[in-house]
Amino acid sequence: MNPLEMVQSQIKSALEKMDLDPIVYHLLKEPKRFYEYTFPVRMDDGSIKIFKGFRSQHNDALGPNKGGLRFHQDVTADEVKALSAWMTFKCSVVGLPYGGGKGGVVVDPRDLSRRELEKVSRGWMRAFHNEIGQFKDIPAPDVNTNPQVMAWMIDEANTITSKNQGGHLTGKPVELGGSLGRTEATGYGVSFMVRKAAEKINLNLKGSTTVVQGFGNVGSYAAELLQSWGSKVIAVSDVYGSIYKEDGIDIPALMEFVAKGNKVSDFPGVEVKDRDAVFTTKCDIFLPCALENSITKENAHVIDCKIISEGANGPTTPEADKILLDNGIFVIPDVLANAGGVTVSYFEWSQNLYGHYWSKEMVLEEEEQIMVRAFDEIVNLMEKENIKDMRQAAFMHSIKKIASVMKLRGWY
Ligand code: GLU
């Protein structure tokens, strides 16, 4: 399903339950600004390659646009637009003073040398520097980008503007003004939300079973934290395949193995299965931490679990949502479940603006508090309005705030 249509259908579903001016839908259904630029890069073999980059600024009513940048061969304009909209709702769900942004480059980073990756990163910043800034639009890592990419980009921005502004980008390396805890933040947040949902449905995490689809930055840290609380992580997948072990996979060891550039399916001492076997593995907790459109009407009915915490953005299509709901699965929607990353990005940005840095304990404690408060507020709304679907309630909670600020600003 086209991700932009997906988010539009989610907005509609929330608005059905709200008494708002219909113009609110039109203000939210598309980004306020969208940029598409191409930029040339000289490759290692001397040839020139033209890359296509995007940046979408969905809505800046609540504050500067905020959101990641992904490097992926399948990046499209509509995908980036949808992802920027999810960022708007995500920031509002957890109460951050940001609007939503997202960007990307159409590239398979596996085809690039390290030097070419640096040039693509700097090239994106050269092309887009007029559109971004610490009070305008603040990028961060997303799929296939990392603190090193952010370091090259901020160096390029600082050079172009002749200003050493740390708040230009977040997800930077700690030595370069990044925040302690940012690397773990998204994955840990996914698990903080699992713990809250488990309390609600009386599931004991000790001895529970977890399955993780996608073992990048989000899936790996989410699995690590859940395992440290006593959950057995019985299956994990990456783009190449999946692995299974009945008494639990050693997650810190798998993280170390994958960090060396290995595939999940080459990990020793486990059963190797095809990539989609994770969907049919019965478990208590299922974590989709890959890309959009992972849980669809084709596979939603085979998922046998109690809790889904969405580490990825947009992993579940609206049709699949209905199936999961009918099957009584507690789905913690992406705009809440993976909001830990942008929450700690906000801490990073404020630390940069203040020039005063926090301990890792303080970062993670504040992150959890913010997410737990949002979880409780959404659950209260569900109980008050008799709403079964947590995504619908999260969108309502989020849109209420954005609509009221747009009204104050005189946008309608
Ligand atoms: N890319 C992450 C997300 O989708 C983080 C965004 C940020 O830190 O600004 O939430």
Side-chain angles (χ1 to χ4, degrees), residues 368-381:
E368 184 169 7
Q369 260 176 34
I370 286 183
M371 294 185 74
V372 162
R373 190 185 57 208
F375 184 100
D376 289 339
E377 285 168 352
I378 295 164
V379 166
N380 284 343
L381 180 67

Side-chain angles (χ1 to χ4, degrees), residues 57-121:
Q57 298 171 346
H58 175 256
N59 183 296
D60 53 4
L62 296 184
N65 298 94
K66 181 87 193 79
L69 269 177
R70 66 173 55 179
F71 287 180
H72 197 279
Q73 60 279 15
D74 299 331
V75 165
T76 64
D78 274 2
E79 180 193 29
V80 170
K81 287 178 185 177
L83 289 162
S84 71
W86 280 316
M87 285 310 301
T88 301
F89 302 120
K90 191 187 301 186
C91 291
S92 175
V93 157
V94 280
L96 305 180
Y98 289 138
K102 194 69 122 205
V105 177
V106 185
V107 60
D108 186 343
R110 290 171 299 188
D111 297 340
L112 301 177
S113 68
R114 185 177 161 86
R115 196 158 63 153
E116 289 167 342
L117 180 65
E118 174 175 351
K119 287 182 175 173
V120 170
S121 307

Side-chain angles (χ1 to χ4, degrees), residues 169-233:
L169 293 168
T170 60
K172 302 179 292 292
V174 172
E175 308 88 303
L176 216 161
S179 177
L180 293 168
R182 175 64 185 85
T183 306
E184 302 87 334
T186 315
Y188 280 12
V190 167
S191 297
F192 293 151
M193 295 297 90
V194 168
R195 183 155 69 179
K196 285 292 290 177
E199 269 168 32
K200 267 220 86 53
I201 63 165
N202 285 322
L203 170 75
N204 190 353
L205 289 179
K206 232 188 179 77
S208 67
T209 51
T210 295
V211 169
V212 190
Q213 181 226 4
F215 202 68
N217 176 262
V218 182
S220 60
Y221 282 104
E224 185 214 56
L225 191 58
L226 277 173
Q227 185 163 74
S228 77
W229 293 337
S231 184
K232 279 190 292 182
V233 182

Side-chain angles (χ1 to χ4, degrees), residues 41-53:
V41 168
R42 188 174 294 280
M43 308 301 279
D44 289 351
D45 66 2
S47 67
I48 298 280
K49 205 166 165 192
I50 315 292
F51 288 90
K52 183 176 277 189

